[in-house]
Amino acid sequence: MAFTIAKMLQLPAFRGASVIAGSKGINVAVGGVTMLESTDFHNAVLKGELVLTSSFFLDLFRDSGVNYILECYKKHAVGLCIKEGSPEDQLPGNILAVAEQLHFPVIVLNSDVNFCQIINAVTYEVLRREGYNQTLSYEENFFQELITSVQDRDTFFKRGAMLGLRQDEQLCALLLQPDDDKLVDAVCSFCRDEWEEKCYTLTKNGRVMVALRLTISEIDKNSVIKLARALLKELEKAFPEHQFRVGIGRCYKELINFNKSFSEACSALSFSMLAHSKEPISHFDDLGVYRILFDYKNREELFHLYRDTVGVISEYDQKNQTEYLDTIRTYFSQNYSINNTAKKMFVHYNTILYRLNKIKTLFGIDLNNEEERINLYVSLRVADSQNLWKTF
């Protein structure tokens, strides 16, 4: 349910407040609260925000000739809050007339209320109504929302600023998989409290997400991998009897794109597990064709390809106790050598030849055709990745 100005006025922090203009706009949803402390509206981000200002700045607005009601409205703010002041601080009638005409609420606060109370009350209600878990920290809630929810750029930018994120910083996702799920909370705490690099952390699905805070000079693949290796070494010291895998996503300029970096880190980590890689660190850029196989946008089409090829063969094998799918896998792993495939499967050369011919007859797949081999190879990789998709 939307948090409107009407609902906001019922909060204890707004006791004694009154709407002196624009009362027809009180059913507009409030997305946050912003302090306006400058007459320069050019850089102000006010969309969906309740604007707080003081009589001091109202005087500056008057002196500069700025119609602050109109400027806030143009910036898509939802209302203006000012503290009750002396008679000379009262808003001019022409300003209030504009607010009334635009249905832009102007609220006068009780003189005993401080702005921190207003900011805390509004922010808490907005986040609570958007599903923030009050048992988690603001940081954990923020990153849960960042990787799972759709919000506009300005909203995430302002909430990130509350965490101390600077404009010259970018985030890059690392995803850690300890060999024991019971270590997840301890690993998360270690990365947040003991590791010297600036980062944010979150536990999710038995894994630990680390959001690296990087400056422009640090944003390249090799630098991030170097940081990941340093973290891995620290973890191995702190937890000497355990092993870890690390998946790394790419860096993006916009905070709102961090969910892409997180998804890529998931893909890199899942590929590393799927391939039983000896290298514990995997970067998304190194996945090759798996960048496509693990991309959610391609998942439906890839599933159809899998179902029409590998799925049909697998179903036939189960019903008839045959080994056509295992034969294909082995044939691919032995570089299309019938002789090596026969040795690997401990059967006669003619048995493999017979099976390959039956595969063509039963399923219409000619393994001598390069294009059909490629389609089948991709389908096999999709089949292998099915169980890992659920960890995204």
Side-chain angles (χ1 to χ4, degrees):
M1 185 179 295
F3 178 55
T4 63
I5 290 179
K7 290 186 174 70
M8 180 192 75
L9 291 172
Q10 298 173 15
L11 298 176
F14 287 86
R15 188 176 292 114
S18 60
V19 181
I20 61 172
S23 58
K24 291 183 179 179
I26 63 172
N27 292 318
V28 175
V30 179
V33 59
T34 292
M35 286 281 292
L36 186 60
E37 298 180 338
S38 170
T39 58
D40 180 12
F41 282 87
H42 180 68
N43 296 315
V45 180
L46 305 179
K47 183 179 179 181
E49 298 282 299
L50 176 74
V51 178
L52 301 182
T53 193
S54 64
S55 58
F56 171 76
F57 281 101
L58 290 182
D59 289 338
L60 293 182
F61 290 134
R62 287 196 199 99
D63 294 341
S64 64
V66 173
N67 187 327
Y68 40 87
I69 296 292
L70 186 57
E71 292 300 326
C72 289
Y73 181 81
K74 287 179 181 178
K75 285 286 188 176
H76 305 289
V78 296
L80 176 70
C81 269
I82 58 174
K83 248 189 186 181
E84 188 175 31
S86 59
E88 59 268 20
D89 291 331
Q90 299 302 312
L91 299 182
N94 62 323
I95 295 293
L96 294 179
V98 171
E100 193 67 32
Q101 183 179 2
L102 297 174
H103 300 165
F104 185 82
V106 177
I107 302 162
V108 175
L109 301 171
N110 191 307
S111 58
D112 295 334
V113 174
N114 63 56
F115 282 160
C116 286
Q117 289 176 277
I118 299 297
I119 292 170
N120 290 339
V122 174
T123 301
Y124 177 88
E125 283 299 318
V126 169
L127 298 182
R128 184 178 69 81
R129 291 168 187 266
E130 290 184 356
Y132 270 35
N133 185 340
Q134 300 304 315
T135 65
L136 301 178
S137 68
Y138 177 82
E139 175 183 318
E140 291 170 316
N141 274 302
F142 173 77
F143 279 96
Q144 286 277 16
E145 184 179 35
L146 190 59
I147 63 181
T148 60
S149 303
V150 177
Q151 290 278 3
D152 62 82
R153 174 184 176 276
D154 291 342
T155 296
F156 279 131
F157 178 79
K158 282 181 283 192
R159 293 184 184 174
M162 292 175 68
L163 281 175
L165 275 172
R166 304 196 313 264
Q167 291 189 20
D168 64 339
E169 289 181 319
Q170 296 184 27
L171 297 179
C172 177
L174 305 185
L175 203 60
L176 305 175
Q177 178 76 68
D179 59 7
D180 185 348
D181 289 347
K182 296 178 182 178
L183 286 179
V184 169
D185 289 336
V187 170
C188 184
S189 297
F190 178 88
C191 295
R192 181 183 63 244
D193 303 328
E194 304 296 331
W195 195 36
E196 61 183 12
E197 296 297 328
K198 293 188 296 183
C199 66
Y200 301 108
T201 60
L202 174 72
T203 59
K204 193 168 182 64
N205 299 335
R207 294 172 167 182
V208 178
M209 182 214 74
V210 177
L212 285 175
R213 298 174 60 180
L214 304 174
T215 60
I216 301 299
S217 62
E218 298 171 312
I219 298 174
D220 67 78
K221 175 183 169 183
N222 292 332
S223 296
V224 174
I225 291 177
K226 185 177 179 180
L227 288 173
R229 291 194 189 284
L231 174 57
L232 192 60
K233 185 177 292 187
E234 293 293 326
L235 288 171
E236 289 170 347
K237 288 181 182 178
F239 307 94
E241 297 181 0
H242 297 277
Q243 295 181 326
F244 303 85
R245 287 187 180 274
V246 183
I248 306 174
R250 293 180 288 198
C251 296
Y252 290 89
K253 292 182 179 179
E254 294 284 350
L255 177 63
I256 199 170
N257 288 327
F258 178 75
N259 61 341
K260 295 181 181 179
S261 184
F262 173 77
S263 180
E264 291 166 357
C266 287
S267 298
L269 180 56
S270 295
F271 171 77
S272 175
M273 295 168 60
L274 174 65
H276 302 289
S277 174
K278 294 181 180 179
E279 171 57 53
I281 297 175
S282 179
H283 194 286
F284 181 76
D285 282 345
D286 297 329
L287 264 58
V289 70
Y290 281 91
R291 286 188 289 183
I292 300 171
L293 295 181
F294 281 97
D295 192 329
Y296 263 127
K297 296 191 295 292
N298 302 319
R299 186 173 180 180
E300 184 175 353
E301 287 303 318
L302 288 169
F303 178 76
H304 287 313
L305 177 62
Y306 156 78
R307 185 188 61 190
D308 295 340
T309 52
V310 173
V312 172
I313 300 171
S314 177
E315 185 177 346
Y316 185 93
D317 280 344
Q318 291 176 19
K319 288 182 177 179
N320 299 278
Q321 287 78 53
T322 52
E323 299 181 70
Y324 292 126
L325 191 56
D326 284 343
T327 301
I328 292 172
R329 286 184 179 277
T330 308
Y331 183 63
F332 281 173
S333 70
Q334 299 303 311
N335 295 317
Y336 318 117
S337 167
I338 296 177
N339 189 51
N340 291 344
T341 301
K343 290 180 180 178
K344 187 75 173 178
M345 298 190 75
F346 303 104
V347 297
H348 194 274
Y349 177 97
N350 288 337
T351 300
I352 299 300
L353 187 61
Y354 168 80
R355 289 179 184 176
L356 296 181
N357 287 329
K358 286 293 288 183
I359 288 168
K360 183 177 181 180
T361 301
L362 291 171
F363 311 113
I365 298 174
D366 183 2
L367 291 174
N368 290 318
N369 183 294
E370 183 177 5
E371 185 173 342
E372 292 191 22
R373 280 206 306 263
I374 292 172
N375 287 338
L376 193 56
Y377 176 81
V378 171
S379 298
L380 286 170
R381 300 284 73 79
V382 173
D384 290 338
S385 63
Q386 286 292 312
N387 290 333
L388 289 173
W389 256 325
K390 67 184 179 183
T391 66
F392 274 35

